[in-house]
Amino acid sequence: MNTVTELLQPVENDLDDLILELKNLIGAGHPILQAAAEHLFSAGGKRLRPGIVLLISKAISPGFNLTSKHKRLAEITEMIHTASLVHDDVVDEASTRRGVDTVHSRFNTRVAVLAGDFLFAQASWHLANLDNVNVVKLLSRVIMDLAEGEIKQNLNRFDSAQSFSKYINKSYCKTASLIANSCKAAGVLSNLTDEKLTSLYNFGKNIGLAFQVVDDILDFTGNDKQLGKPAVSDLASGYLTAPVLYALEENKKLSVLINRELAEKDDLDDALNIIMNSKAIESSRKLAEDFALLSKEAIVWLPDSEYKRALLALPEFVLSRIY
């Protein structure tokens, strides 16, 4: 499976229905928000997060069927993810995402902030209407994690002394928490045992961390089209990711450049040369591979189906982006 479309083929029709339903759910009665929602949900994107929820939901169902509550969980997952992207783009002052104008650049910052807030509010409303307090707790934690991750990321800019555990924790909050807790929530809705719920959570957490490490590698090795943003933008913004932290362990000169916030003319190029001439990318690939393997091991107990096979192919797809 070489593309997201191929990977998510078993739930392709369900994803098409999901996007139509999202456009109906969001912005009704609010013309500007409706326009923003149309823009957001028509902009493409991988739909990987709701796709994973749908694959998990079908894989754990005795008849591989999808209940209305599982469908709504997938919709809520995409609402939360999209809301976080809208706010992230405002914070990062990004004009485009994957070649499409961001909400604040197409409309304005006020509309973008309100659209993000409205999406979070809508997600919370539909979450409450699932009438399952444990699922509410899981997805509410995600919204807290997203905010916490963004705060941590911005407070630790250009901090060459930050620990690797801080980086992993920030990555969990910003990327892995949503996948981990939505996978677990799918299991809660199916009344799975605590052991199986933990397995689903671990699958989501580790695939999310693998995905984030791969994205961090691509900031150095990818092109603008792959990234959906300018290459090396994370480093230029002072966000220290796995490759930077590994390179810092090898070459202390890098910390000098980072501590002065890459302020001098050739600092960014010098920092990039240090990173690319170290073992940082290789070490980061190994880290991503470790997370990917853990994610596969977490779902071996699932009964055989096209949905399980797609889930087991996901780690290889994530890693394929860096090879």
Side-chain angles (χ1 to χ4, degrees), residues 287-306:
L287 181 65
E289 288 167 0
D290 289 346
F291 285 133
L293 180 60
L294 287 171
S295 70
K296 288 184 73 169
E297 291 174 348
I299 55 169
V300 292
W301 55 273
L302 287 172
D304 184 50
S305 68
E306 61 178 326

Side-chain angles (χ1 to χ4, degrees), residues 80-258:
I80 292 172
H81 175 57
T82 304
S84 72
L85 294 184
V86 174
H87 282 172
D88 283 358
D89 287 339
V90 172
V91 171
D92 295 340
E93 299 179 342
S95 59
T96 62
R97 178 177 287 275
R98 305 209 174 276
V100 178
D101 290 344
T102 53
V103 173
H104 71 268
S105 62
R106 178 163 180 176
F107 300 94
N108 57 56
T109 299
R110 181 177 296 181
V111 168
V113 171
L114 291 173
D117 290 347
F118 189 69
L119 279 169
F120 277 129
Q122 285 279 74
S124 299
W125 167 255
H126 292 297
L127 186 57
N129 281 297
L130 287 176
D131 290 326
N132 189 307
V133 68
N134 288 325
V135 172
V136 171
K137 287 179 179 179
L138 289 171
L139 274 295
S140 297
R141 178 73 245 184
V142 169
I143 296 174
M144 291 170 62
D145 285 341
L146 286 166
E148 187 177 330
E150 191 64 35
I151 291 167
K152 286 178 177 177
Q153 176 170 279
N154 282 279
L155 288 178
N156 291 317
R157 289 174 68 234
F158 296 109
D159 177 12
S160 66
Q162 70 179 276
S163 65
F164 217 93
S165 62
K166 274 188 178 180
Y167 160 72
I168 296 297
N169 182 259
K170 181 270 298 177
S171 299
Y172 171 80
C173 287
K174 282 184 65 68
T175 303
S177 175
L178 176 59
I179 305 174
N181 285 293
S182 58
C183 285
K184 184 175 181 179
V188 170
L189 291 174
S190 292
N191 299 309
L192 297 190
T193 63
D194 287 345
E195 183 181 4
K196 289 180 177 178
L197 292 179
T198 299
S199 297
L200 293 179
Y201 172 86
N202 285 332
F203 168 78
K205 180 184 78 170
N206 286 296
I207 201 66
L209 289 172
F211 194 89
Q212 184 59 59
V213 174
V214 165
D215 261 9
D216 294 340
I217 293 169
L218 287 173
D219 192 50
F220 295 96
T221 65
N223 55 47
D224 292 5
K225 185 177 179 182
Q226 273 182 299
L227 295 165
K229 60 182 180 181
V232 204
S233 62
D234 285 345
L235 177 60
S237 299
Y239 304 145
L240 307 192
T241 57
V244 183
L245 295 175
Y246 280 125
L248 278 166
E249 293 174 1
E250 285 187 50
N251 193 326
K252 299 304 178 188
K253 183 186 174 184
L254 182 57
S255 65
V256 176
L257 303 177
I258 289 169

Side-chain angles (χ1 to χ4, degrees), residues 57-76:
S57 298
K58 287 198 167 186
I60 60 180
S61 167
F64 306 120
N65 297 314
L66 201 58
T67 71
S68 59
K69 288 193 174 185
H70 285 96
K71 288 180 184 177
R72 186 49 51 89
L73 174 64
E75 293 160 7
I76 291 166

